Amino acid sequence: MKEAAGTPMPSEAMRRLFPEKFGVPAKAEFQVPDMPEWFNLPYLSQDFLNEGPIAEEAPIGTLPLQDQEEAIMDDLLYTLEGITGKYIYPLPVSHPHEERQFTVDSTLDPTMRELVKKVLPTCADYSLTVRFIEEKSNFEHGLVNQALAAAMQNLMKDYYLIVAQLEHQLRIGQLTLQKFWYYIQPSMSTLHALASIASTINKGHCRGGSVLSLLHERVLNSVGDEKLHKLALYLVEATSLPYFDCLQKWIYKGIVVDPYCEFMVIERSKVHKENLQHEVSDSYWEQKYTLCRDRIPAFLQSLAEKILTTGKYLNVVRETGKNIHCPNATELVYSMNERVMTEQIERAHDYASKLLLGMLMDDHQLIARLRSLKHYFLLDQGDFIVQFMDMTEEEMQKPMNDVIPEKLDSLLELALRSSVANADPFKEDVRVHLLPYDLISMLNRVIAISARDDRECHRPDPTELSLSGLEAFSFDYEVKWPLSLLLNRKAIIRYQMLFRYLFYAKHVERQLCNIWMSTKSANQFSPFSTKWSTASFALRQRMLNFVQNLQYYMSFEVLEPNWIHLMAKIDKVKNIDELLVCHYDFLDTCLSDCMLTSRTLLKTVHKLMAVCVMFSNHMLRMSRSFEIARGRTTEMSFAEGHSLSEESFAAAITVHEESFSKCLGELLTTVMEESSQLNDPKLINLVHRLDANGFYSEQITMALERSLRDTTITVADAVDDSGTPRPESGSA
């Protein structure tokens, strides 16, 4: 008793000021009903109202021994019911959870005093138990504590019955102090167990699942004591009823009914499913419903994740307006045999998984949606994109602010309806989207997404120059609930990254192909056409070979094999969590294998693309110059009419060729280094395609040898200048 009394406890004022510090949710987290005024009347308490002696009484030692025994037994009966006696009175407590101490008249017979001291711990246990019952019956302590208080109150009825029987025996003169001690012993162990549970809960400020964990531990620890085991089992069965009621509503209906923040699943009302199509940083599936580890009972720890996902699956179905009727719904009750609860929860989980997956696959045609995304974003049916690029070529060359999105939308619709994509039932969901940043800026945002810096994905760079329609162009795709769980904004952005990469490569390929058409007529009028056309044609062919092999690698060695692998995985998934993992793995693998997650590779590929575009623009300008010169050849010679000369043109071709060879050599070197570090053979396939005859590898080797030779000569010259003799040729 004294140990408990000396335990330091936080004051009630501190608990109210900082409730979360002591494990009690702040009242702002839930609504607490107002209690009626009569509920707070102090005389409704079953604990001691008066502390200390009530009135001056003659010392009990002045009475005969028989009268002392009757008087002290009468006082004990009062004390056992929380009423201050004449010769036994309680001492004040400094804290509501403190164990109460008692004072006995010092003049009592020593033998009787020893027996009384053996009974007083039961009085202290009673006081602590009734204070616990009265406190935990309030709303703010939650339904679980209320259920525990009600179960304890039921057990107290048997205790009151024993006290009444002892009083009857005293009144008819058949009770002695020895009999009193004998009859009270069965209730002592029960009351001590209740007081011990109450004290532990008070010290830990337990609520909800933590209370059930405590009671479950008591059940396991009391297996050797049949009486205490039955008591603990009764308490945990009664206390778990409101918790299991919340659990049943969650795993059978997908709804959270938790008015006092006790259930293991937390619902965040600020997270809305409508944000899935607009916010990159929105993680509805991960954040809408989460687990609170402190609220999980010990006997449900191993099933917590399965419980969470079961309710989440059903909640998605419920959000679509579909009625849910679980055929395997059975009442959940506490059992020491965890296998029973495990089987019930697993049946509910299997039903929820099949229900949601079937709804996505059948009712909302998930596979057809994914194929539709593949058509438009991964360009597996390229006829519509060729028509679209032909029709929008003039519009795409305008600055982004001058481009009319509605015009692009109408041209896109025309291209879709006049191509194979016309058979796609979801073609109406494709939209034109002009992004405020160019391709490279968006590609850099892929890395920001992987680093969970999602705000960076939609933050325009104020230093960027004005973009053309081509640089800002991308597709967007409209997806509604519940498919937006899988095809959310984060996934659509990944598709946009891949699309813009493929689209830009196709644009560069078109530019290089246009060179041949534009220079065909110019060759007839150029005085040095035979010399410069051969060099420019060879360089154009090398650039075209690079771009086409890059497209082939991305389309047929990355996207298509990964797509087939994704479809095979989807056929085997059992729930939406596995489906989400498969889909994100597919996108991340495609981004990585297409070199969109390495800053070094991104910059090098961008340089190569830029060199190809610069060369194309230069050749187109030259062709237009020759066309202009065609009308002036009758008046003056070609050399007099143009400042262009064979030497300047050859120099320009040489600059572009050197730039292209240097960038391509850097790309091949970087790819081989990345491939060796990541042990990824796919990138090596790209090297073999771009350097099939070993031409670039030989150039890289020669450049390294030349650099090493120059470095050796420089070092040797530095040694000679310092006065140190060179070693002879035969020396080591």
Side-chain angles (χ1 to χ4, degrees):
M1 281 191 300
K2 292 183 180 178
E3 261 185 359
T7 303
M9 300 290 288
S11 65
E12 193 66 25
M14 289 295 290
R15 287 188 60 205
R16 291 178 180 177
L17 189 59
F18 304 107
E20 65 282 352
K21 183 177 179 181
F22 300 104
V24 181
K27 289 187 179 181
E29 294 184 16
F30 52 84
Q31 294 288 337
V32 179
D34 295 329
M35 300 297 295
E37 294 183 1
W38 58 263
F39 192 82
N40 297 321
L41 295 177
Y43 291 100
L44 289 178
S45 175
Q46 293 178 316
D47 194 22
F48 295 92
L49 298 177
N50 300 310
E51 296 173 338
I54 300 177
E56 291 292 335
E57 294 286 342
I60 193 172
T62 59
L63 301 177
L65 288 178
Q66 184 175 358
D67 293 343
Q68 287 187 35
E69 186 177 23
E70 291 181 2
I72 202 65
M73 283 192 296
D74 190 56
D75 258 23
L76 278 175
L77 290 173
Y78 279 115
T79 307
L80 286 172
E81 293 182 304
I83 303 172
T84 304
K86 296 179 180 179
Y87 308 106
I88 304 173
Y89 52 88
L91 298 178
V93 292
S94 60
H95 190 275
H97 300 159
E98 184 181 351
E99 188 174 355
R100 193 177 292 279
Q101 304 291 329
F102 296 89
T103 298
V104 184
D105 193 327
S106 58
T107 61
L108 181 64
D109 180 73
T111 305
M112 296 181 185
R113 176 190 291 275
E114 293 303 319
L115 281 176
V116 169
K117 286 183 177 180
K118 292 181 180 180
V119 178
L120 286 180
T122 304
C123 302
D125 292 338
Y126 168 83
S127 175
L128 186 61
T129 303
V130 294
R131 276 181 282 155
F132 176 84
I133 293 172
E134 292 170 0
E135 178 187 1
K136 301 306 178 184
S137 296
N138 294 330
F139 290 112
E140 62 265 23
H141 294 283
L143 296 175
V144 173
N145 276 326
Q146 291 178 34
L148 176 60
M152 286 185 172
Q153 188 65 43
N154 276 337
L155 293 174
M156 293 299 291
K157 293 178 182 179
D158 295 335
Y159 170 78
Y160 291 136
L161 179 61
I162 290 176
V163 173
Q165 291 174 347
L166 289 175
E167 185 180 4
H168 175 69
Q169 292 294 317
L170 178 62
R171 297 293 178 259
I172 63 177
Q174 295 184 2
L175 185 66
T176 64
L177 199 55
Q178 291 289 344
K179 287 183 178 181
F180 191 104
W181 164 246
Y182 175 77
Y183 290 143
I184 200 66
Q185 285 189 35
S187 297
M188 290 179 68
S189 59
T190 300
L191 208 56
H192 181 69
L194 296 180
S196 175
I197 292 172
S199 178
T200 306
I201 292 175
N202 286 334
K203 288 178 181 178
H205 303 285
C206 302
R207 303 177 80 257
S210 56
V211 174
L212 297 179
S213 297
L214 171 67
L215 296 176
H216 176 68
E217 184 181 355
R218 292 296 179 110
V219 171
L220 298 179
N221 294 339
S222 61
V223 173
D225 189 330
E226 184 179 358
K227 182 179 179 181
L228 290 181
H229 182 70
K230 288 182 178 179
L231 172 66
L233 196 59
Y234 166 75
L235 289 177
V236 72
E237 287 175 351
T239 306
S240 62
L241 289 178
Y243 196 91
F244 278 122
D245 185 53
C246 293
L247 180 59
Q248 288 174 180
K249 291 177 181 176
W250 175 245
I251 66 172
Y252 295 148
K253 296 293 183 181
I255 56 177
V256 175
V257 181
D258 185 21
Y260 302 114
C261 300
E262 299 174 284
F263 189 50
M264 68 173 75
V265 178
I266 301 174
E267 179 181 8
R268 289 181 169 83
S269 57
K270 295 182 179 180
V271 180
H272 303 288
K273 63 178 183 294
E274 289 77 15
N275 296 337
L276 285 169
Q277 280 297 299
H278 307 290
E279 297 293 334
V280 180
S281 59
D282 188 77
S283 301
Y284 178 89
W285 186 249
E286 293 83 10
Q287 296 180 4
K288 179 64 175 179
Y289 296 99
T290 56
L291 286 175
C292 179
R293 295 292 173 182
D294 296 337
R295 302 180 190 175
I296 304 175
F299 50 86
L300 293 177
Q301 283 284 351
S302 60
L303 299 170
E305 292 293 339
K306 190 164 287 188
I307 290 171
L308 175 66
T309 53
T310 301
K312 286 168 69 174
Y313 298 158
L314 295 179
N315 182 264
V316 173
V317 177
R318 190 176 62 87
E319 289 285 342
T320 62
K322 189 174 181 178
N323 292 327
I324 301 174
H325 176 68
C326 183
N328 301 318
T330 55
E331 184 180 4
L332 287 169
V333 293
Y334 174 82
S335 173
M336 287 190 65
N337 185 3
E338 295 184 4
R339 182 179 176 182
V340 177
M341 286 187 291
T342 301
E343 290 177 351
Q344 290 176 299
I345 292 172
E346 284 183 348
R347 284 197 297 268
H349 181 268
D350 292 342
Y351 167 76
S353 303
K354 293 177 182 177
L355 180 65
L356 177 57
L357 200 59
M359 184 183 71
L360 291 176
M361 294 292 188
D362 302 331
D363 300 347
H364 296 275
Q365 304 177 25
L366 175 61
I367 301 299
R369 283 282 184 179
L370 291 175
R371 289 199 180 100
S372 176
L373 281 167
K374 185 189 177 192
H375 294 336
Y376 304 126
F377 288 90
L378 305 185
L379 305 182
D380 72 329
Q381 292 180 350
D383 59 335
F384 92 91
I385 200 66
V386 172
Q387 295 184 40
F388 179 73
M389 294 178 76
D390 288 337
M391 291 186 292
T392 60
E393 184 174 4
E394 181 180 353
E395 190 73 16
M396 289 288 194
Q397 292 175 357
K398 298 179 181 179
M400 184 188 72
N401 295 331
D402 296 338
V403 175
I404 304 174
E406 291 77 10
K407 183 177 181 180
L408 293 181
D409 277 325
S410 62
L411 293 175
L412 174 62
E413 182 180 0
L414 180 61
L416 291 174
R417 293 188 182 279
S418 58
S419 64
V420 180
N422 188 44
D424 183 11
F426 308 114
K427 60 180 179 294
E428 301 294 337
D429 294 330
V430 185
R431 299 284 186 271
V432 169
H433 192 196
L434 298 178
L435 298 170
Y437 31 79
D438 63 4
L439 176 64
I440 297 304
S441 299
M442 190 173 189
L443 294 181
N444 287 331
R445 285 168 170 80
V446 176
I447 302 173
I449 292 178
S450 302
R452 296 187 178 275
D453 188 9
D454 295 328
R455 293 182 181 179
E456 188 65 23
C457 296
H458 277 231
R459 183 183 299 164
D461 187 353
T463 63
E464 288 179 355
L465 301 176
S466 59
L467 304 176
S468 66
L470 178 71
E471 293 171 322
F473 177 75
S474 180
F475 283 148
D476 201 358
Y477 200 82
E478 182 180 352
V479 185
K480 296 182 180 179
W481 180 265
L483 288 177
S484 56
L485 275 176
L486 183 70
L487 305 176
N488 53 27
R489 178 51 47 185
K490 194 175 292 187
I492 295 298
I493 279 185
R494 284 169 163 81
Y495 278 109
Q496 286 178 333
M497 305 292 178
L498 293 166
F499 167 76
R500 297 193 75 185
Y501 199 32
L502 292 166
F503 184 77
Y504 192 68
K506 191 160 292 283
H507 164 70
V508 174
E509 182 187 13
R510 284 168 59 87
Q511 290 290 95
L512 293 172
C513 291
N514 288 338
I515 295 177
W516 181 84
M517 298 176 62
S518 61
T519 57
K520 182 178 179 181
S521 58
N523 289 343
Q524 303 173 9
F525 308 103
S526 171
F528 45 89
S529 60
T530 305
K531 296 180 180 179
W532 71 263
S533 61
T534 303
S536 63
F537 178 81
L539 180 56
R540 184 194 73 89
Q541 192 61 33
R542 287 171 58 193
M543 291 180 174
L544 191 61
N545 178 70
F546 159 72
V547 175
Q548 289 178 340
N549 276 289
L550 180 63
Q551 290 186 79
Y552 181 89
Y553 164 76
M554 291 189 295
S555 299
F556 296 101
E557 294 190 16
V558 175
L559 298 178
E560 193 62 30
N562 282 312
W563 172 264
I564 295 172
H565 190 50
L566 172 66
M567 291 295 104
K569 279 187 174 181
I570 289 179
D571 290 339
K572 299 177 182 178
V573 297
K574 297 180 179 179
N575 53 60
I576 193 174
D577 284 295
E578 295 180 5
L579 185 61
L580 284 168
V581 171
C582 291
H583 188 234
Y584 278 118
D585 284 348
F586 163 73
L587 291 174
D588 291 339
T589 303
C590 290
L591 289 172
S592 176
D593 292 346
C594 288
M595 302 177 290
L596 295 180
T597 56
S598 171
R599 294 183 186 273
T600 306
L601 290 173
L602 285 180
K603 292 178 180 179
T604 308
V605 172
H606 175 57
K607 288 179 183 178
L608 276 167
M609 295 286 192
V611 170
C612 294
V613 172
M614 291 170 61
F615 171 74
S616 301
N617 294 335
H618 178 74
M619 293 301 299
L620 290 174
R621 286 196 301 269
M622 289 294 302
S623 300
R624 283 195 292 269
S625 299
F626 290 134
E627 289 290 339
I628 294 173
R630 178 182 180 182
R632 304 174 61 182
T633 52
T634 57
E635 302 174 3
M636 61 186 69
S637 65
F638 179 81
E640 293 175 350
H642 288 271
S643 60
L644 295 175
S645 65
E646 185 175 357
E647 291 77 10
S648 63
F649 181 77
I653 295 296
T654 303
V655 169
H656 288 304
E657 183 176 10
E658 290 177 352
S659 299
F660 179 76
S661 299
K662 179 181 177 182
C663 292
L664 188 56
E666 290 178 2
L667 176 64
L668 296 176
T669 304
T670 307
V671 166
M672 287 188 288
E673 290 176 356
E674 293 274 348
S675 179
S676 61
Q677 291 176 1
L678 302 176
N679 195 20
D680 188 358
K682 291 191 182 69
L683 293 176
I684 294 295
N685 294 342
L686 178 62
V687 173
H688 292 323
R689 285 199 159 273
L690 298 178
D691 190 25
N693 58 358
F695 173 75
Y696 296 108
S697 299
E698 185 178 352
Q699 282 193 335
I700 294 172
T701 304
M702 292 172 61
L704 289 174
E705 291 176 352
R706 186 166 54 252
S707 175
L708 181 61
R709 185 169 57 253
D710 294 343
T711 304
T712 305
I713 293 173
T714 303
V715 172
D717 292 342
V719 171
D720 288 341
D721 293 341
S722 63
T724 304
R726 293 187 183 181
E728 296 185 6
S729 58
S731 61

